[in-house]
Amino acid sequence: MLGRAVVARFAATHDVVPHTRADNDLADADATERWIVERAPQAIVHCAAWTDVDGCEGDPERAWRDNATATANVARAAARAGSALCHLSTDYVFDGEKPAPYVEDDPSGPLGVYGQTKWAAEEHVRALAPRAWIVRTSWVFGPGGRNFVKTIAALLGERQELRVVDDQRGSPTYTPDLAAALLAVVTGGRFGLYHVTNTGTCSWFEFATAIAARLGSNCRVVPCSTAEFPRPARRPRNSVLEPRFYRAQGLADLRSWQDAVQDYLTLLQAEPVT
């Protein structure tokens, strides 16, 4: 989802060379270095990752390969090519126990394999890429892939009642808005660690309720606890990220997640929901 939005947004003002799975496997160090060094871009936006949280828990070997090893290869190649690197990370590097929003220098404490591999990826970037932005975000949705908004929109049309977790909080983030923020960071922000999300917070239940209201659904959305909805991987209870360093660069906050959801639902309603 995010790679698609980044290519579209950056291509409006820059020459963009998309890298896809067909080009090479990022876990192949030699092939990754050849691809990047031959092109020697001014900047690389590294969106590639395995983001299936439960899948990572069930296959840690693949998770470490796709998230940590691949990122180390990209960071090493970027340094050799003289390219700045923008690496995308996640709220899952935290344990979710802090009662307030997380700031950039809060200690990490990932609860599961996905968060552990993404934290390791950050560490590789810090160690190997001297000119880098690390951007953490959360609860991503948008065109081009599976996401919470699309899933809930489909379920609302199929069920009379929908139970949704109400004891995890975060900030939903729309990929086109995040892509615009990444462009602002890459073209005008100092190297460093950023938190970037749409403005506002909610629980998954409140998120689903907002989606139902905007669709005019008659489906009853009911809150439940995480304990009532067990998953293979533990989720942080608090995923709210404070964009302290982002604001310190004079960069404007993203719009509210509610406005972003409305825009995305308009797109979804223009095509069959699957």
Side-chain angles (χ1 to χ4, degrees):
M1 288 185 296
L2 183 56
R4 171 176 171 168
V6 166
V7 168
R9 185 66 183 86
F10 277 63
T13 52
H14 293 74
D15 292 329
V16 176
V17 181
H19 179 287
T20 70
R21 296 178 188 178
D23 292 306
N24 73 274
D25 179 359
L26 294 178
D28 182 331
D30 291 339
T32 299
E33 182 168 297
R34 280 195 304 272
W35 199 93
I36 290 174
V37 170
E38 285 174 4
R39 288 157 182 82
Q42 289 178 296
I44 298 166
V45 184
H46 178 41
C47 299
W50 190 27
T51 60
D52 180 348
V53 177
D54 292 328
C56 287
E57 204 69 21
D59 191 352
E61 182 177 354
R62 177 186 167 188
W64 281 98
R65 179 183 184 277
D66 289 355
N67 292 339
T69 301
T71 298
N73 293 340
V74 171
R76 194 177 291 109
R80 182 172 175 195
S83 306
L85 175 62
C86 180
H87 170 66
L88 271 296
S89 191
T90 172
D91 55 297
Y92 275 67
V93 302
F94 298 116
D95 63 11
E97 294 303 312
K98 184 180 178 181
Y102 281 94
V103 296
E104 293 84 355
D105 56 2
D106 277 327
S108 66
L111 298 175
V113 173
Y114 173 66
Q116 291 164 5
T117 60
K118 292 297 288 182
W119 173 253
E122 286 192 18
E123 293 282 73
H124 287 316
V125 172
R126 281 186 276 268
L128 298 171
R131 301 168 58 239
W133 308 271
I134 296 173
V135 180
R136 294 178 185 144
T137 192
S138 67
W139 294 22
V140 176
F141 67 96
R146 288 172 42 197
N147 62 78
F148 184 80
V149 179
K150 190 171 185 177
T151 298
I152 292 297
L155 292 174
L156 289 170
E158 299 169 0
R159 300 184 184 179
Q160 294 182 333
E161 181 177 293
L162 190 61
R163 297 173 64 81
V164 185
V165 169
D166 196 30
D167 56 1
Q168 298 172 26
R169 295 196 70 81
S171 297
T173 305
Y174 189 38
T175 51
D177 294 346
L178 179 55
L182 293 176
L183 180 60
V185 167
V186 168
T187 57
R190 287 162 40 201
F191 295 122
L193 176 59
Y194 291 78
H195 287 173
V196 182
T197 67
N198 279 96
T199 303
T201 70
C202 61
S203 69
W204 291 112
F205 164 73
E206 291 166 342
F207 196 3
T209 299
I211 295 165
R214 282 160 175 75
L215 291 176
S217 172
N218 292 321
C219 177
R220 183 167 173 254
V221 183
V222 180
C224 69
S225 68
T226 299
E228 295 175 85
F229 196 74
R231 302 289 292 274
R234 292 173 62 197
R235 268 73 170 168
R237 291 189 298 177
N238 175 24
S239 286
V240 180
L241 304 175
E242 181 178 334
R244 185 178 61 180
F245 190 61
Y246 180 82
R247 289 170 177 161
Q249 309 311 302
L251 300 173
D253 283 357
L254 278 62
R255 62 178 165 164
S256 72
W257 66 264
Q258 294 95 329
D259 288 346
V261 165
Q262 183 62 61
D263 275 6
Y264 180 48
L265 288 175
T266 300
L267 290 179
L268 280 183
Q269 288 176 299
E271 61 184 26
V273 176
T274 58

